[in-house]
Amino acid sequence: MKLSKRRLMVDVEPLRVDASFRRLWIGGALSSVGSRMTTFAVVLQVYQITGSSAAVGVVGLATLIPTLIVGLIGGSLADALDRRKLVLVTGSSMAVVSLLFAAQAFTGTEQVWPLYLLTGAQSLLFAVDSPARRTFVPRLLSRELLPAGLTLQMLAFHMSVMVGPSLGGVLAAAGGVKLCYVIDSLTFLVALYAVFRLPPMRAKDVRSKPGVRSIWDGLKYVGRNRIVAGAMLSDLSATVLAMPFAILPALNSLRFGGSPSTLGLLNAAPAVGGVLAMSLSGPVGRSIRKGVWLLGAGALWGAALACLGLTGHVWVALVVLAVAGAADATAVVLRGSIVQSSIPDEFRGRTTSIDFVVGAGGPHLGNFRGGVVASAATPSVSALTGGLSCVVAIGLVALCFPALRHFGSPADRTAEGTAAGQHSGEESVPVGDQQ
């Protein structure tokens, strides 16, 4: 029984064997909680100043637009420069922006444009920081430990989604939103110390010069790599077609009584499912056929959200949203493991930046789709059609990208060939990082 429990629970071996990863994980977890507190505080402050939901919606645009514009440039810089130094610069700059958030809160300003401006600046810096930061774990951990390391990072992320806004609400009630901003800036110190202790992190072998040519080469590489392209398309299929959060207020009003507390539970349910999935992720991390697991998780996400459109009981809605969150968290870990295992280090920053843009843009497009369909029909129709179309799209990805479907299969060495720089039916790609 003890052995089976150890195999079921999240694998913490990366935290035990690698001090650098342990520091990165702790620093990243604290910084993620701080960032969630700031996100909560910005939304609250904008609403307190304006009383307008539309004004709150502009915060999303201020976050999305810089991410989409600068995201690919961040990957180009990460493959050309020392990634450690780049993250130290961007992380320090984001800490300064958090202090500026605090400064405007202390002044008691009644203007929202500083909040939009600082949100845009924070998003721009994060779009450069994230692709470079994501290259650290594959360099620190062996390929065998990489899935466990990514799982631990996803667990920390979902915990921050649960803890950050709640803690931000307590602090805002006690001393105002300025406390959220100040604490966020302090959490950057722990994260920066972890990065400072790393060795130099330049791309191995060939290093590209930053610019349009470098970005284009990265896009062509992703298009040639059938495993990576299929993994990213599976993510877009899930997020663009079935993202549910925009329809939850209307669904709550029509089906579940409209209570704000019920809406809060509906929004939190996917994160709860994500935490449970990552806490019990032992079988996923040790799985061989990760491509099959990835596609299965995407299909489960869609099926669960289709069920959301059919239920009129709030407890069923909470369960299916938790299942969807568990499937989403599992898919994110598997996609990260597959992508990072299938690319040479010289393309790691650019490929990661494309994955970052896909992950950032897809949910916003999905929420837009969900809201439009819900307005034209009903939120139930939006959830049902979105979930079913997601399942169909995942099936098409499985058919059109057999290399992804067979990734890790003992009977098919496509994944091994890709990791070694050989694509089945594609041109050869040199390897920079063999872990």
Side-chain angles (χ1 to χ4, degrees), residues 14-372:
L15 294 173
R16 287 198 295 262
V17 303
D18 194 289
S20 294
F21 175 79
R22 184 165 60 248
R23 286 191 292 266
L24 277 177
W25 187 81
I26 294 172
L30 290 175
S31 182
S32 185
V33 170
S35 296
R36 292 288 162 178
M37 289 168 52
T38 287
T39 300
F40 169 85
V42 169
V43 169
L44 177 60
Q45 192 176 359
V46 168
Y47 189 77
Q48 287 175 337
I49 293 173
T50 66
S52 167
S53 296
V56 173
V58 176
V59 176
L61 290 178
T63 302
L64 176 62
I65 293 174
T67 298
L68 297 180
I69 293 175
V70 183
L72 296 181
I73 299 174
S76 176
L77 292 173
D79 283 342
L81 306 175
D82 184 338
R83 295 153 178 170
R84 170 183 170 273
K85 291 181 179 179
L86 181 61
V87 170
L88 286 173
V89 171
T90 54
S92 300
S93 301
M94 286 192 288
V96 171
V97 173
S98 290
L99 288 174
L100 292 175
F101 269 119
Q104 64 81 34
F106 274 105
T107 63
T109 179
E110 292 296 316
Q111 301 292 323
V112 295
W113 67 264
L115 292 166
Y116 295 150
L117 182 63
L118 291 173
T119 297
Q122 193 85 297
S123 298
L124 187 150
L125 290 167
F126 184 70
V128 177
D129 179 272
S130 183
R133 188 182 296 272
R134 291 185 184 187
T135 66
F136 293 159
V137 175
R139 288 282 291 270
L140 295 174
L141 300 180
S142 66
R143 291 186 66 185
E144 291 74 20
L145 289 178
L146 181 58
L150 295 175
T151 298
L152 288 167
Q153 289 191 314
M154 183 54 56
L155 176 61
F157 167 77
H158 280 285
M159 289 297 295
S160 73
V161 172
M162 294 175 59
V163 174
S166 301
L167 183 58
V170 172
L171 292 173
V177 294
K178 54 184 175 290
L179 288 181
C180 298
Y181 299 136
V182 170
I183 292 177
D184 182 25
S185 64
L186 294 177
T187 63
F188 277 104
L189 297 178
V190 184
L192 288 171
Y193 172 75
V195 176
F196 180 78
R197 291 288 303 275
L198 292 174
M201 285 284 180
R202 282 189 173 273
K204 295 182 179 180
D205 295 333
V206 180
R207 288 192 293 272
S208 64
K209 294 181 179 180
V212 176
R213 176 63 183 273
S214 174
I215 295 172
W216 178 243
D217 287 344
L219 291 169
K220 288 195 299 182
Y221 172 78
V222 169
R224 291 197 308 267
N225 190 319
R226 304 294 289 173
I227 294 174
V228 173
M232 292 185 182
L233 282 175
S234 71
D235 181 54
L236 281 174
S237 298
T239 55
V240 173
L241 296 176
M243 207 67 185
F245 293 101
I247 69 171
L248 291 182
L251 192 67
N252 179 50
S253 178
L254 292 175
R255 290 283 185 92
F256 309 129
S259 169
S261 60
T262 302
L263 180 60
L265 291 174
L266 292 171
N267 278 279
V272 173
V275 170
L276 291 174
M278 294 301 94
S279 299
L280 304 174
S281 59
V284 174
R286 300 182 184 94
S287 66
I288 297 176
R289 300 193 62 171
K290 289 183 171 60
V292 172
W293 276 79
L294 171 63
L295 295 166
L300 179 59
W301 157 270
L305 293 175
C307 292
L308 177 66
L310 297 174
T311 183
H313 301 284
V314 67
W315 68 268
V316 176
L318 292 173
V319 169
V320 297
L321 283 170
V323 170
D328 178 56
T330 301
V332 169
V333 169
L334 289 168
R335 187 178 76 252
S337 176
I338 290 170
V339 169
Q340 294 293 355
S341 299
S342 303
I343 54 177
D345 191 59
E346 65 182 272
F347 281 100
R348 198 179 298 282
R350 282 166 288 177
T351 303
T352 302
S353 71
I354 296 169
D355 191 39
F356 170 71
V357 170
V358 167
H364 288 285
L365 292 174
N367 279 319
F368 176 74
R369 182 218 66 86
V372 169

